[in-house]
Amino acid sequence: MKPALKILLAHLGGTLLITLAFIFFVIPSFNENAHALSKGLTTVVALGVAYWVVTRYLVSTSGKVPSRNPYHHFFFSGTGVLTTILTIVGLIGALFVYLEHNNLFQALGLVVSIIWVVVFLRYFMWSVYHYNINYGLTDQDWEKIFEARKREKMGFPVNKADLEAPDKNPYRSQTFGLPPGTVRGMIAFTLLLGGLSLLIVSFGNEYYTGDQLALIRQQFEFFETAFLMMIAFYFGDKSLKYLQRRWTPPAGGNSPKSATPYRSSNALDLDEQSLAADDRDLDLMEQEAPASPLTQTRQLLSQSVAAEALQGGFVQVRDNIFSKVLSDEEIKRAIDQLRDEEGITLSMPVLRAIIEVESSGRGHLPDGQPKILFEGHKFWYWLKQAGRTDQELATLQTEYPSILYPRWTTQHYKGGPGEFQRLELAKTIDPKAAVYSASWGLFQILGENLEHNIKNRLRAGAGKDDPFYADYLDFERKQCVSEYYHFLDFLAFIKTKKVEGTPLIDFISEKNNGRYNWDRFAYGYNGRGYKENRYDVKLRAAYQKYQAIYITTDTEQDRTGFIPIIDAGHGGMVEGKYTTQGKQYAFSDGTQIYEGVINRRIGRLLIELLEEAGIPYHNLTVDEAEDIPLKARVEEANTLYERNPNFYFLSIHSNASSNSLSGDGGQASGFEVWTSVGQTKSDELATVAAQWYKHEFPEFRFRQDMTDGDEDREKKEQSQTFYVLRKTKGAAFLVENLFYDNRFEAQFLLSEQGQRRIARCLFLIVKDIYQKFHA
């Protein structure tokens, strides 16, 4: 038997023997003679001396080294003095109760209560010290580590494993830094022992009156309640997990249809695995990862810049990015001018929807140049319009095959800055034809439209800061200045370009009273292939999203249903490299799975379903390959919520239980839903999610987090480790779609059918919430 276990048994046995001797020898002797009392006291004293001698001997022979931790004395010596005083006071109190009432059961009930309080305090102080001060190691373990470090400093060879020490409490995210369920178990046992004490006391009473009968009935009800709470809070789902450890898989291994997989005899503990996964999330949140270029751009767009910081190269970054972005104020200014001068009214949600769908995000490259795409077949056309013969064009094509050809092709596209190399080469032949042959800026409008669809943007004598263009050279220069010029070009284009005699702007203006013809607009703007790319569906969905963002919440009719802010957890692939190390698993058979990639595929399928159904949403990270920092995600979500309280945060994840990133996988399985801490609107939304997951995936295990009648209340406490759930101002819940390190569930997640089933379930959840909830 281990020395530590011997010491523990000595403490428990000694305390129990002394207490029983006091109850059965000292207390009854008060009704007898002095000789009986002296014998009882002598017995108690003798047991006390024996207890002290035995425990001192066991401690001295256990090889324990006095702790050098200054907190050790505070936690243990102080607790020892306090519990000793409580024990003495409790025994004396029990003695006086017996003398006063001559009732052994009342005295025994008091002693039981005092003993439990003493045990509770000693265990609580030990556990707080063990996990919060010693990080889960014993004092002896730390002494060995200190000794190994000392030997290493002296130049002696040391095993590296002897130097390893934890740098944090593994349960720091839990209540009081103790293992999950510890505090709840202690409280449940306290209620049980309290009820048991009342029951013991009641055995010594005789009840004759109605009041006395009611009192004992209340005492028994208290005992029953305490017992049931202990069963519900401590032994409920936990007992099944403990039993699972003893099970071994039958022939054939895990059954995909099984709600809970069998466990092998050497399987890791599920609680430890879940905790390890939680701590990995917490570690990621506590780390300050280097900002990616996308992150730096977002920071530039969201921060106010101090004048003294605008020095050196940073000024160029600010000028190239910050000042070029089209702002809401500029859009509103153009809308007001269009209404005042031409009587055409457009809404902000309509224009923002078109900008999102028709533009590729931003109108400028990182170096400040406008985004362009040079079209060689257009260059052929405009050179011919300038008087070049077919023979001359054929000769030029031989010399410049990458910029001049008679029919459209994507063969020579370079993209990004490479398009400017093609443009500059074309300008050596004919500058005007070159500018006309490129599509420019945020809306990729061809320069040739200066001759027709945006020719009213040309104005002789237009100055440097004038919104109009003096000529094609001025057009090229101002495309570099700001997206605002791109937007004015777009407005001019849709006022002039027609479909069946109707200008495109008429299909989206407010004269339609909200019944916009997205089909005709997409046809006119994108051509006959708009259906293939579902431009009309995307425009309609984007409009509904921005309608929710820009609504006025003062009136009831302006309210909309709850709208999801869709967040795909972690990052995706950038140039073939996964951006979130740690959220992946490589199975021994060669199968590789990346959580962030799966999250994005499911999120994209969900968005397609929402667009088809015309349900608004906000795409937070689904199309972002970079792993956007949690703080940036929360800030964007909170900005949307401040504009419209109908927004809620939906974060898509899949789970993991293995401590390693490769191997044969883990055994944990199923779906989970997490919500923010406390009884909030999040719980109501999570209830809807839980119902749909259970309905759509009856063959999988499911765990949910509810405040009332929840299946696993500890999830409420653990959910505080999720930064996005704690920091978002609006409702928020996070879904864990199966375990990507479970071999069977990984195959499901990697399959198109599995991804579509999960996306379909999420769609049903979002649709249900949209129809039932609003702020």
Side-chain angles (χ1 to χ4, degrees), residues 142-260:
W142 280 111
E143 288 298 332
K144 292 178 182 177
I145 294 171
F146 294 149
E147 184 64 27
R149 291 175 178 175
K150 181 179 178 180
R151 292 199 307 272
E152 184 185 40
K153 289 183 179 180
M154 296 174 65
F156 294 104
V158 178
N159 189 337
K160 291 297 183 182
D162 295 337
L163 301 173
E164 296 179 356
D167 59 354
K168 60 176 71 71
N169 175 10
Y171 302 103
R172 63 196 183 280
S173 62
Q174 306 300 317
T175 305
F176 292 116
L178 304 181
T182 301
V183 174
R184 290 183 290 109
M186 293 165 68
I187 294 174
F189 274 111
T190 299
L191 292 171
L192 176 61
L193 267 295
L196 182 60
S197 299
L198 288 175
L199 182 63
I200 293 172
V201 171
S202 70
F203 290 157
N205 293 332
E206 294 182 355
Y207 297 91
Y208 300 101
T209 66
D211 291 341
Q212 291 173 328
L213 182 61
L215 177 61
I216 191 172
R217 183 173 297 163
Q218 290 175 1
Q219 292 171 347
F220 275 103
E221 287 178 355
F222 180 84
F223 169 75
E224 179 186 15
T225 302
F227 180 78
L228 291 176
M229 290 181 69
M230 184 196 72
I231 295 297
F233 284 143
Y234 193 70
F235 287 111
D237 184 48
K238 295 291 182 185
S239 61
L240 298 179
K241 291 181 182 176
Y242 296 146
L243 290 174
Q244 288 167 6
R245 298 175 189 170
R246 302 179 181 272
W247 297 350
T248 55
N254 293 349
S255 170
K257 298 286 185 180
S258 175
T260 304

Side-chain angles (χ1 to χ4, degrees), residues 592-699:
Q592 185 85 25
I593 187 170
Y594 302 94
E595 183 195 346
V597 174
I598 298 298
N599 296 336
R600 275 156 178 72
R601 290 177 183 173
I602 294 172
R604 172 45 53 195
L605 292 170
L606 168 61
I607 287 175
E608 290 179 2
L609 291 172
L610 293 175
E611 289 175 348
E612 290 177 1
I615 297 175
Y617 66 91
H618 180 80
N619 183 350
L620 186 64
T621 58
V622 173
D623 293 332
E624 297 284 1
E626 295 284 350
D627 190 351
I628 307 301
L630 297 173
K631 184 178 180 182
R633 302 183 190 203
V634 169
E635 288 177 350
E636 185 172 344
N638 286 341
T639 299
L640 292 170
Y641 176 76
E642 289 171 356
R643 289 180 176 178
N644 180 5
N646 284 301
F647 273 110
Y648 67 94
F649 194 88
L650 169 58
S651 193
I652 302 173
H653 289 255
S654 56
N655 219 332
S657 63
S658 302
N659 292 324
S660 62
L661 300 179
S662 61
D664 294 328
Q667 297 295 312
S669 66
F671 294 90
E672 296 179 345
V673 176
W674 300 65
T675 67
S676 51
V677 178
Q679 175 64 48
T680 64
K681 180 66 73 173
S682 303
D683 295 304
E684 298 180 40
L685 305 189
T687 300
V688 176
Q691 292 170 346
W692 279 112
Y693 268 112
K694 291 177 181 179
H695 181 271
E696 294 295 306
F697 298 100
E699 73 271 32

Side-chain angles (χ1 to χ4, degrees), residues 81 216 319 437-438 537 646 665:
V81 171
I216 191 172
D319 287 343
S437 301
V537 174
N646 284 301

